[in-house]
Short mmCIF file of all heavy atoms in Angstrom, two decimals:
data_model
loop_
_atom_site.label_atom_id
_atom_site.label_comp_id
_atom_site.label_asym_id
_atom_site.label_seq_id
_atom_site.Cartn_x
_atom_site.Cartn_y
_atom_site.Cartn_z
N THR A 1324 5.65 4.02 -12.52
CA THR A 1324 7.02 3.53 -12.41
C THR A 1324 7.06 2.06 -11.97
O THR A 1324 7.94 1.31 -12.37
CB THR A 1324 7.81 4.39 -11.40
OG1 THR A 1324 7.77 5.74 -11.84
CG2 THR A 1324 9.27 3.95 -11.28
N LEU A 1325 6.11 1.66 -11.12
CA LEU A 1325 6.15 0.31 -10.58
C LEU A 1325 5.50 -0.73 -11.47
O LEU A 1325 5.75 -1.93 -11.31
CB LEU A 1325 5.48 0.29 -9.20
CG LEU A 1325 6.19 1.07 -8.10
CD1 LEU A 1325 5.42 0.97 -6.80
CD2 LEU A 1325 7.62 0.57 -7.91
N ILE A 1326 4.68 -0.31 -12.41
CA ILE A 1326 3.93 -1.28 -13.22
C ILE A 1326 4.86 -2.26 -13.94
O ILE A 1326 4.67 -3.48 -13.85
CB ILE A 1326 2.98 -0.56 -14.20
CG1 ILE A 1326 1.89 0.18 -13.43
CG2 ILE A 1326 2.39 -1.54 -15.21
CD1 ILE A 1326 0.75 -0.68 -12.92
N PRO A 1327 5.88 -1.76 -14.65
CA PRO A 1327 6.76 -2.72 -15.32
C PRO A 1327 7.44 -3.68 -14.34
O PRO A 1327 7.70 -4.84 -14.67
CB PRO A 1327 7.78 -1.82 -16.02
CG PRO A 1327 7.09 -0.50 -16.17
CD PRO A 1327 6.24 -0.37 -14.96
N LEU A 1328 7.71 -3.21 -13.13
CA LEU A 1328 8.33 -4.08 -12.13
C LEU A 1328 7.39 -5.17 -11.66
O LEU A 1328 7.80 -6.31 -11.43
CB LEU A 1328 8.74 -3.26 -10.92
CG LEU A 1328 10.10 -2.65 -11.11
CD1 LEU A 1328 9.95 -1.21 -11.47
CD2 LEU A 1328 10.92 -2.88 -9.92
N LEU A 1329 6.14 -4.80 -11.50
CA LEU A 1329 5.15 -5.80 -11.08
C LEU A 1329 4.98 -6.85 -12.17
O LEU A 1329 4.81 -8.03 -11.88
CB LEU A 1329 3.82 -5.12 -10.76
CG LEU A 1329 3.84 -4.20 -9.52
CD1 LEU A 1329 2.54 -3.42 -9.42
CD2 LEU A 1329 4.08 -5.00 -8.25
N GLU A 1330 5.04 -6.39 -13.41
CA GLU A 1330 4.92 -7.34 -14.52
C GLU A 1330 6.11 -8.29 -14.55
O GLU A 1330 5.98 -9.49 -14.76
CB GLU A 1330 4.78 -6.59 -15.85
CG GLU A 1330 3.39 -5.98 -16.00
CD GLU A 1330 3.25 -5.05 -17.20
OE1 GLU A 1330 4.25 -4.78 -17.90
OE2 GLU A 1330 2.11 -4.57 -17.41
N GLU A 1331 7.28 -7.72 -14.32
CA GLU A 1331 8.50 -8.53 -14.28
C GLU A 1331 8.43 -9.55 -13.13
O GLU A 1331 8.75 -10.73 -13.30
CB GLU A 1331 9.70 -7.58 -14.09
CG GLU A 1331 11.05 -8.25 -14.02
CD GLU A 1331 12.13 -7.32 -13.45
OE1 GLU A 1331 11.92 -6.09 -13.40
OE2 GLU A 1331 13.17 -7.84 -13.02
N LEU A 1332 7.96 -9.09 -12.00
CA LEU A 1332 7.84 -9.97 -10.83
C LEU A 1332 6.84 -11.09 -11.11
O LEU A 1332 7.08 -12.26 -10.78
CB LEU A 1332 7.40 -9.14 -9.62
CG LEU A 1332 7.18 -9.91 -8.30
CD1 LEU A 1332 8.48 -10.56 -7.83
CD2 LEU A 1332 6.65 -8.97 -7.21
N GLU A 1333 5.74 -10.74 -11.73
CA GLU A 1333 4.72 -11.72 -12.02
C GLU A 1333 5.25 -12.80 -12.96
O GLU A 1333 5.09 -14.00 -12.70
CB GLU A 1333 3.48 -11.05 -12.64
CG GLU A 1333 2.35 -12.02 -12.89
CD GLU A 1333 1.13 -11.37 -13.52
OE1 GLU A 1333 1.15 -10.14 -13.75
OE2 GLU A 1333 0.15 -12.09 -13.79
N SER A 1334 5.92 -12.38 -14.01
CA SER A 1334 6.37 -13.43 -14.94
C SER A 1334 7.50 -14.25 -14.33
O SER A 1334 7.57 -15.46 -14.55
CB SER A 1334 6.72 -12.86 -16.32
OG SER A 1334 7.63 -11.83 -16.20
N ALA A 1335 8.35 -13.60 -13.53
CA ALA A 1335 9.40 -14.37 -12.85
C ALA A 1335 8.77 -15.38 -11.89
O ALA A 1335 9.21 -16.53 -11.79
CB ALA A 1335 10.33 -13.44 -12.08
N TYR A 1336 7.74 -14.96 -11.21
CA TYR A 1336 7.11 -15.87 -10.25
C TYR A 1336 6.41 -17.03 -10.96
O TYR A 1336 6.53 -18.19 -10.56
CB TYR A 1336 6.11 -15.12 -9.35
CG TYR A 1336 5.34 -16.10 -8.50
CD1 TYR A 1336 6.00 -16.91 -7.57
CD2 TYR A 1336 3.97 -16.29 -8.68
CE1 TYR A 1336 5.32 -17.85 -6.83
CE2 TYR A 1336 3.27 -17.23 -7.94
CZ TYR A 1336 3.96 -18.01 -7.02
OH TYR A 1336 3.29 -18.96 -6.30
N LEU A 1337 5.68 -16.72 -12.03
CA LEU A 1337 4.95 -17.78 -12.74
C LEU A 1337 5.92 -18.80 -13.33
O LEU A 1337 5.65 -20.00 -13.33
CB LEU A 1337 4.04 -17.18 -13.82
CG LEU A 1337 2.89 -16.33 -13.27
CD1 LEU A 1337 2.05 -15.76 -14.40
CD2 LEU A 1337 2.01 -17.10 -12.28
N ALA A 1338 7.08 -18.31 -13.77
CA ALA A 1338 8.10 -19.24 -14.28
C ALA A 1338 8.68 -20.08 -13.14
O ALA A 1338 8.84 -21.30 -13.26
CB ALA A 1338 9.21 -18.46 -14.99
N ALA A 1339 8.97 -19.43 -12.01
CA ALA A 1339 9.56 -20.14 -10.86
C ALA A 1339 8.59 -21.20 -10.34
O ALA A 1339 9.00 -22.30 -9.97
CB ALA A 1339 9.90 -19.15 -9.75
N ARG A 1340 7.31 -20.87 -10.34
CA ARG A 1340 6.30 -21.77 -9.80
C ARG A 1340 6.27 -23.09 -10.57
O ARG A 1340 5.94 -24.13 -10.02
CB ARG A 1340 4.94 -21.07 -9.87
CG ARG A 1340 3.84 -21.82 -9.18
CD ARG A 1340 2.69 -20.92 -8.84
NE ARG A 1340 1.86 -20.62 -9.99
CZ ARG A 1340 0.63 -20.09 -9.89
NH1 ARG A 1340 0.12 -19.81 -8.72
NH2 ARG A 1340 -0.06 -19.83 -10.98
N LYS A 1341 6.63 -23.02 -11.83
CA LYS A 1341 6.61 -24.22 -12.66
C LYS A 1341 7.95 -24.95 -12.66
O LYS A 1341 8.08 -26.03 -13.24
CB LYS A 1341 6.25 -23.84 -14.11
CG LYS A 1341 4.77 -23.62 -14.30
CD LYS A 1341 4.43 -23.57 -15.79
CE LYS A 1341 3.76 -22.26 -16.12
NZ LYS A 1341 4.15 -21.56 -17.29
N ASP A 1342 8.95 -24.31 -12.08
CA ASP A 1342 10.31 -24.81 -12.17
C ASP A 1342 10.60 -25.78 -11.02
O ASP A 1342 10.59 -25.39 -9.85
CB ASP A 1342 11.26 -23.60 -12.14
CG ASP A 1342 12.71 -24.03 -12.25
OD1 ASP A 1342 13.00 -25.25 -12.17
OD2 ASP A 1342 13.57 -23.14 -12.38
N GLU A 1343 10.89 -27.04 -11.35
CA GLU A 1343 11.14 -28.06 -10.32
C GLU A 1343 12.32 -27.68 -9.44
O GLU A 1343 12.33 -27.94 -8.24
CB GLU A 1343 11.39 -29.43 -10.96
CG GLU A 1343 10.14 -30.08 -11.54
CD GLU A 1343 8.99 -30.21 -10.53
OE1 GLU A 1343 9.26 -30.52 -9.35
OE2 GLU A 1343 7.83 -29.96 -10.92
N GLU A 1344 13.33 -27.08 -10.04
CA GLU A 1344 14.52 -26.66 -9.29
C GLU A 1344 14.15 -25.67 -8.18
O GLU A 1344 14.62 -25.78 -7.05
CB GLU A 1344 15.54 -26.00 -10.23
CG GLU A 1344 16.51 -26.94 -10.88
CD GLU A 1344 17.19 -27.88 -9.89
OE1 GLU A 1344 17.83 -27.37 -8.95
OE2 GLU A 1344 17.06 -29.11 -10.04
N PHE A 1345 13.33 -24.70 -8.56
CA PHE A 1345 12.92 -23.69 -7.60
C PHE A 1345 12.14 -24.33 -6.45
O PHE A 1345 12.37 -24.06 -5.28
CB PHE A 1345 12.08 -22.60 -8.27
CG PHE A 1345 11.62 -21.51 -7.33
CD1 PHE A 1345 12.49 -20.50 -6.94
CD2 PHE A 1345 10.32 -21.50 -6.83
CE1 PHE A 1345 12.07 -19.50 -6.05
CE2 PHE A 1345 9.91 -20.51 -5.94
CZ PHE A 1345 10.78 -19.51 -5.57
N LYS A 1346 11.22 -25.19 -6.80
CA LYS A 1346 10.41 -25.86 -5.78
C LYS A 1346 11.28 -26.68 -4.84
O LYS A 1346 11.09 -26.69 -3.63
CB LYS A 1346 9.37 -26.77 -6.45
CG LYS A 1346 8.13 -26.00 -6.92
CD LYS A 1346 6.99 -26.95 -7.25
CE LYS A 1346 6.95 -27.17 -8.75
NZ LYS A 1346 5.81 -27.95 -9.21
N LYS A 1347 12.26 -27.36 -5.45
CA LYS A 1347 13.15 -28.20 -4.65
C LYS A 1347 13.96 -27.35 -3.67
O LYS A 1347 14.11 -27.68 -2.50
CB LYS A 1347 14.11 -28.96 -5.59
CG LYS A 1347 14.09 -30.46 -5.34
CD LYS A 1347 14.77 -31.27 -6.42
CE LYS A 1347 16.29 -31.19 -6.37
NZ LYS A 1347 16.91 -31.86 -7.56
N GLU A 1348 14.45 -26.26 -4.20
CA GLU A 1348 15.25 -25.37 -3.38
C GLU A 1348 14.43 -24.80 -2.22
O GLU A 1348 14.85 -24.81 -1.06
CB GLU A 1348 15.77 -24.23 -4.27
CG GLU A 1348 16.86 -23.41 -3.64
CD GLU A 1348 17.39 -22.35 -4.61
OE1 GLU A 1348 16.63 -21.91 -5.51
OE2 GLU A 1348 18.55 -21.96 -4.44
N LEU A 1349 13.23 -24.32 -2.54
CA LEU A 1349 12.36 -23.75 -1.51
C LEU A 1349 12.01 -24.81 -0.47
O LEU A 1349 12.09 -24.56 0.74
CB LEU A 1349 11.10 -23.17 -2.16
CG LEU A 1349 10.05 -22.60 -1.20
CD1 LEU A 1349 10.63 -21.52 -0.30
CD2 LEU A 1349 8.85 -22.04 -1.97
N ASN A 1350 11.65 -25.99 -0.93
CA ASN A 1350 11.29 -27.05 0.01
C ASN A 1350 12.46 -27.47 0.88
O ASN A 1350 12.29 -27.77 2.06
CB ASN A 1350 10.75 -28.27 -0.74
CG ASN A 1350 9.33 -28.01 -1.21
OD1 ASN A 1350 8.62 -27.20 -0.62
ND2 ASN A 1350 8.93 -28.66 -2.30
N TYR A 1351 13.64 -27.44 0.29
CA TYR A 1351 14.84 -27.75 1.06
C TYR A 1351 14.99 -26.79 2.25
O TYR A 1351 15.15 -27.20 3.39
CB TYR A 1351 16.08 -27.70 0.17
CG TYR A 1351 17.38 -27.75 0.95
CD1 TYR A 1351 17.88 -28.97 1.42
CD2 TYR A 1351 18.07 -26.58 1.25
CE1 TYR A 1351 19.05 -29.01 2.17
CE2 TYR A 1351 19.24 -26.62 1.99
CZ TYR A 1351 19.74 -27.82 2.45
OH TYR A 1351 20.88 -27.86 3.20
N TYR A 1352 14.91 -25.50 1.96
CA TYR A 1352 15.07 -24.52 3.03
C TYR A 1352 13.91 -24.55 4.02
O TYR A 1352 14.10 -24.38 5.22
CB TYR A 1352 15.24 -23.11 2.45
CG TYR A 1352 16.62 -22.87 1.89
CD1 TYR A 1352 16.83 -22.70 0.52
CD2 TYR A 1352 17.73 -22.81 2.74
CE1 TYR A 1352 18.09 -22.48 0.01
CE2 TYR A 1352 19.01 -22.59 2.24
CZ TYR A 1352 19.18 -22.43 0.87
OH TYR A 1352 20.43 -22.21 0.38
N LEU A 1353 12.72 -24.78 3.52
CA LEU A 1353 11.56 -24.86 4.43
C LEU A 1353 11.75 -26.01 5.42
O LEU A 1353 11.47 -25.90 6.61
CB LEU A 1353 10.26 -25.06 3.65
CG LEU A 1353 9.71 -23.82 2.91
CD1 LEU A 1353 8.51 -24.21 2.04
CD2 LEU A 1353 9.30 -22.72 3.90
N ARG A 1354 12.27 -27.12 4.92
CA ARG A 1354 12.43 -28.31 5.75
C ARG A 1354 13.66 -28.21 6.66
O ARG A 1354 13.57 -28.31 7.88
CB ARG A 1354 12.55 -29.54 4.83
CG ARG A 1354 12.57 -30.88 5.53
CD ARG A 1354 12.67 -32.03 4.52
NE ARG A 1354 13.98 -32.01 3.84
CZ ARG A 1354 14.16 -31.86 2.53
NH1 ARG A 1354 13.13 -31.72 1.71
NH2 ARG A 1354 15.37 -31.85 2.01
N GLU A 1355 14.81 -27.96 6.04
CA GLU A 1355 16.07 -28.04 6.77
C GLU A 1355 16.37 -26.79 7.60
O GLU A 1355 17.08 -26.86 8.59
CB GLU A 1355 17.23 -28.27 5.79
CG GLU A 1355 17.09 -29.49 4.92
CD GLU A 1355 17.23 -30.79 5.71
OE1 GLU A 1355 18.02 -30.81 6.67
OE2 GLU A 1355 16.52 -31.76 5.37
N TYR A 1356 15.88 -25.67 7.15
CA TYR A 1356 16.25 -24.41 7.81
C TYR A 1356 15.11 -23.87 8.67
O TYR A 1356 15.33 -23.47 9.81
CB TYR A 1356 16.65 -23.38 6.75
CG TYR A 1356 17.20 -22.10 7.32
CD1 TYR A 1356 18.49 -22.05 7.86
CD2 TYR A 1356 16.44 -20.93 7.32
CE1 TYR A 1356 18.99 -20.88 8.40
CE2 TYR A 1356 16.94 -19.74 7.84
CZ TYR A 1356 18.22 -19.72 8.38
OH TYR A 1356 18.72 -18.57 8.90
N ALA A 1357 13.91 -23.86 8.12
CA ALA A 1357 12.78 -23.27 8.85
C ALA A 1357 12.14 -24.27 9.81
O ALA A 1357 11.57 -23.87 10.82
CB ALA A 1357 11.74 -22.74 7.86
N GLY A 1358 12.21 -25.55 9.48
CA GLY A 1358 11.65 -26.55 10.37
C GLY A 1358 10.28 -27.08 9.99
O GLY A 1358 9.49 -27.46 10.85
N ARG A 1359 9.98 -27.14 8.71
CA ARG A 1359 8.71 -27.72 8.27
C ARG A 1359 8.86 -29.22 8.09
O ARG A 1359 9.96 -29.67 7.81
CB ARG A 1359 8.27 -27.11 6.92
CG ARG A 1359 8.06 -25.62 6.94
CD ARG A 1359 6.94 -25.24 6.00
NE ARG A 1359 5.66 -25.61 6.60
CZ ARG A 1359 4.94 -24.80 7.38
NH1 ARG A 1359 5.34 -23.60 7.63
NH2 ARG A 1359 3.81 -25.22 7.90
N PRO A 1360 7.80 -30.00 8.17
CA PRO A 1360 6.45 -29.54 8.52
C PRO A 1360 6.33 -29.22 10.00
O PRO A 1360 7.05 -29.78 10.82
CB PRO A 1360 5.57 -30.75 8.16
CG PRO A 1360 6.49 -31.93 8.26
CD PRO A 1360 7.85 -31.44 7.86
N THR A 1361 5.44 -28.31 10.33
CA THR A 1361 5.17 -28.02 11.73
C THR A 1361 4.11 -28.99 12.24
O THR A 1361 3.27 -29.43 11.46
CB THR A 1361 4.66 -26.57 11.91
OG1 THR A 1361 3.47 -26.42 11.12
CG2 THR A 1361 5.70 -25.57 11.44
N PRO A 1362 4.14 -29.31 13.53
CA PRO A 1362 3.15 -30.24 14.06
C PRO A 1362 1.73 -29.68 14.01
O PRO A 1362 1.54 -28.46 14.09
CB PRO A 1362 3.57 -30.43 15.52
CG PRO A 1362 4.93 -29.86 15.65
CD PRO A 1362 5.10 -28.86 14.56
#
Side-chain angles (χ1 to χ4, degrees):
Chain A
T1324 302
L1325 294 180
I1326 294 281
L1328 274 102
L1329 293 171
E1330 286 171 356
E1331 180 196 343
L1332 178 62
E1333 183 181 359
S1334 54
Y1336 172 63
L1337 294 179
R1340 188 159 77 165
K1341 280 193 238 136
D1342 180 351
E1343 287 305 321
E1344 271 310 302
F1345 180 79
K1346 278 195 261 186
K1347 233 167 75 187
E1348 193 177 27
L1349 177 57
N1350 285 334
Y1351 169 81
Y1352 283 112
L1353 285 173
R1354 186 179 67 241
E1355 303 291 326
Y1356 187 74
R1359 300 214 75 90
T1361 58

